[in-house]
Amino acid sequence: MRDIKKKLGLALAVTMTTVTLATAYVTTTAPVRAAGADNANVQQIRNDEPTYERINQYKDLAMYYYWHGGDVQQSEKDIFKGITLKGKYDVVENAFKEATLLDPFDLDLKFSLASTLIIEKKVPEALHTYRQILNLDPSNFNANLLNGVYSKATGDTATYKASIAKLKLINAQKTNQYLQKIERTEKVFNEKLITTVPTNVQSKNHAIVILGYALADDGTMKETLIERLKSGLAVANKYPNSKIIVTGGVPKQGVTEADAMSQWLIAQGVNPNRIILENKSTDTVENGLFSTAILEKEGLKDVTIVTSASHIRRALAVFKEADSFYSKMNGKAASRNFTNAVYLDYKSLEEAQKVTNDEKLVIYRDLLRTSGIWQYPGLQR
């Protein structure tokens, strides 16, 4: 009995030592991962750490730079030696490249790399990465879809048609749903931009949705956002019974875009009871998803989207897809009518009406994100 107790005591001591060491390891390495792009710590991505830890550090580094940027030259010096980095997305790209080298079997890492290449408009490289995924997993629906749609955006209709044919074999119903989304989005390309106040709206159950724009570091609004607000105010004055949704949740000095926009409108004499804050979103896709939830809650059927002319087609594509999703989720068609009012950030309206291939690429990207395909799986919508 004494021997058994002795053995149990030894086992317990070993276990406690192991737990202590593990805890110490987590305690000392967690700040490195949490800091991600803290340039004082980036050199600590070392080969004497477990593979999963190094992969996670690269993912954290990528996401930190995606959101906040950082000292690119320091990252080049400490981590990506021999690689010239020109901006924050170069850091994101190369962090995911390193992660995919550490785990070439992880398809999510490849999806993340391809998404970064799309952001950088390195479309051939992105398509090459999607083909790598398809070589490993030929029936991967998302990879086939993304490869096809982004090929279409570059004018490669043959690859697009081949991808659609393959998708129909994988899941015909889902493919047809995406074809409807793409067709609806391509109609947006021809949307007539309104630089005054739209007239074809119903004054009852009407909402004016003014899309945010990143605040300056001191929390003040930049010219683009103020101009959007001026356009929105003109619509609000024309339709005094309409609700006004202001969007944007990224805080600067404790102030979100929605906060600043609301304060500006109130200062211009708008009744605060008309204003609804959507203050959780971080980009256009979330503007659409979160504002649509408000539209549903408030029973608002007629919607005027207010933003810059260079942004309106993407915004409309996102809002129409978000509207379609909520209709499907709730089991009934919302049947919303969308109009627009834009701040003209082009030299002329004629120029603003032209849709470039680069714009189509971004519109398709945000359509797919709004449909539920995360650009960084498990990390960032």
Side-chain angles (χ1 to χ4, degrees):
M1 188 67 178
R2 185 178 298 170
D3 289 342
I4 293 174
K5 287 183 178 179
K6 184 177 180 181
K7 289 179 180 178
L8 285 173
L10 180 61
L12 181 60
V14 171
T15 302
M16 291 300 291
T17 301
T18 303
V19 170
T20 303
L21 288 172
T23 304
Y25 180 78
V26 171
T27 302
T28 55
T29 59
V32 177
R33 288 185 54 195
D38 181 350
N39 291 293
N41 290 326
V42 290
Q43 71 272 17
Q44 296 187 33
I45 302 179
R46 303 188 309 262
N47 287 340
D48 60 351
E49 292 180 348
T51 302
Y52 85 91
E53 184 67 32
R54 287 182 285 155
I55 291 171
N56 284 334
Q57 286 181 0
Y58 278 120
K59 287 159 68 174
D60 288 345
L61 179 69
M63 285 296 94
Y64 188 95
Y65 268 86
Y66 175 89
W67 274 105
H68 308 289
D71 190 332
V72 174
Q73 291 182 339
Q74 191 68 35
S75 288
E76 182 181 314
K77 175 185 174 183
D78 290 338
I79 293 218
F80 304 110
K81 296 178 176 66
I83 299 174
T84 301
L85 304 174
K86 298 179 180 179
K88 71 173 188 177
Y89 288 119
D90 281 341
V91 178
V92 179
E93 174 191 341
N94 283 283
F96 278 117
K97 278 183 178 178
E98 292 297 325
T100 59
L101 287 173
L102 290 172
D103 190 356
F105 296 90
D106 189 332
L107 298 187
D108 282 349
L109 293 175
K110 287 182 169 59
F111 273 113
S112 295
L113 172 59
S115 292
T116 309
L117 293 167
I118 290 294
I119 292 172
E120 297 176 290
K121 295 183 172 59
K122 297 179 180 179
V123 183
E125 294 93 328
L127 294 176
H128 172 72
T129 305
Y130 288 127
R131 286 194 292 271
Q132 286 185 326
I133 297 171
L134 290 171
N135 289 338
L136 296 169
D137 184 8
S139 61
N140 189 299
F141 188 93
N142 286 356
N144 276 290
L145 178 65
L146 293 165
N147 185 57
V149 171
Y150 290 138
S151 295
K152 179 184 178 71
T154 64
D156 183 357
T157 55
T159 297
Y160 172 69
K161 290 178 180 178
S163 296
I164 294 300
K166 193 168 184 180
L167 285 166
K168 286 183 176 179
L169 295 175
I170 297 169
N171 189 326
Q173 181 181 7
K174 190 174 180 180
T175 302
N176 287 331
Q177 290 173 351
Y178 269 99
L179 288 173
Q180 291 173 9
K181 298 175 192 296
I182 293 167
E183 181 182 2
R184 181 179 63 239
T185 296
E186 290 175 348
K187 289 180 180 178
V188 170
F189 295 165
N190 300 317
E191 189 81 20
K192 182 180 178 181
L193 307 190
I194 308 298
T195 57
T196 54
V197 175
T199 57
N200 54 333
V201 302
Q202 299 294 323
S203 57
K204 184 180 179 181
N205 296 328
H206 175 236
I208 303 159
V209 182
I210 309 175
L211 300 188
Y213 188 85
L215 300 175
D217 289 339
D218 62 359
T220 59
M221 295 189 295
K222 298 177 183 178
E223 180 185 0
T224 296
L225 184 51
I226 294 172
E227 292 297 331
R228 290 181 184 182
L229 282 166
K230 289 178 181 178
S231 296
L233 180 62
V235 182
N237 289 336
K238 175 72 174 180
Y239 301 101
N241 295 321
S242 300
K243 292 289 188 181
I244 305 167
I245 301 174
V246 289
T247 72
V250 179
K252 294 291 178 68
Q253 298 298 320
V255 178
T256 66
E257 296 148 83
D259 293 331
M261 294 162 75
S262 174
Q263 292 166 14
W264 187 92
L265 289 169
I266 292 170
Q268 306 307 311
V270 175
N271 186 334
N273 293 329
R274 297 178 63 188
I275 302 172
I276 303 173
L277 274 65
E278 184 288 288
N279 55 8
K280 294 182 175 63
S281 61
T282 61
D283 57 22
T284 304
V285 171
E286 292 187 343
N287 287 163
L289 290 170
F290 302 163
S291 294
T292 302
I294 295 172
L295 296 172
E296 285 285 317
K297 180 181 178 182
E298 298 290 330
L300 300 167
K301 297 294 185 181
D302 222 20
V303 184
T304 299
I305 307 295
V306 182
T307 187
S308 309
S310 60
H311 185 232
I312 188 61
R313 284 178 285 259
R314 179 155 58 106
L316 285 169
V318 163
F319 269 80
K320 289 185 176 186
E321 174 57 26
D323 184 63
S324 174
F325 169 75
Y326 269 88
S327 293
K328 182 179 180 180
M329 182 174 69
N330 294 328
K332 58 180 180 180
S335 301
R336 287 193 174 87
N337 177 54
F338 289 93
T339 52
N340 74 83
V342 301
Y343 150 56
L344 189 62
D345 56 347
Y346 287 89
K347 292 180 180 179
S348 68
L349 183 57
E350 182 182 13
E351 183 183 353
Q353 289 289 167
K354 296 177 182 178
V355 188
T356 65
N357 284 339
D358 280 351
E359 184 182 357
K360 288 179 181 178
L361 184 74
V362 175
I363 292 171
Y364 284 132
R365 182 199 71 193
D366 279 7
L367 164 69
L368 295 167
R369 292 172 61 210
T370 311
S371 77
I373 300 175
W374 282 35
Q375 61 180 348
Y376 296 104
L379 298 172
Q380 173 62 38
R381 182 188 287 110

